[in-house]
Amino acid sequence: MTFWTWFAIAIALISGVFAANAGKKETERKYVIAFIWFIVAVILFFIWWFTR
């Protein structure tokens, strides 16, 4: 994978960590799971986008 693919994945992960830490209140488990799936989908999208 290229530099830009890794860069895009890093942006998705870092923004996910910041968003998760911003809402330190008790979050329902289903929202946390949905958020994790969203991050995975973004990473897979970036991998697809930069490898085509």
Side-chain angles (χ1 to χ4, degrees), residues 20 23-32:
K24 277 290 189 183
K25 301 172 186 169
E26 289 194 22
T27 308
E28 289 188 36
R29 184 175 174 87
K30 64 181 179 179
Y31 293 126
V32 173

Side-chain angles (χ1 to χ4, degrees), residues 8-38:
I9 291 170
I11 290 174
L13 289 175
I14 291 169
S15 63
V17 168
F18 281 127
N21 288 336
K24 277 290 189 183
K25 301 172 186 169
E26 289 194 22
T27 308
E28 289 188 36
R29 184 175 174 87
K30 64 181 179 179
Y31 293 126
V32 173
I33 293 172
F35 183 70
I36 291 170
W37 276 113
F38 173 74

Side-chain angles (χ1 to χ4, degrees), residues 35-51:
F35 183 70
I36 291 170
W37 276 113
F38 173 74
I39 294 298
V40 169
V42 169
I43 291 170
L44 290 175
F45 171 76
F46 281 134
I47 290 172
W48 169 78
W49 181 264
F50 288 109
T51 57

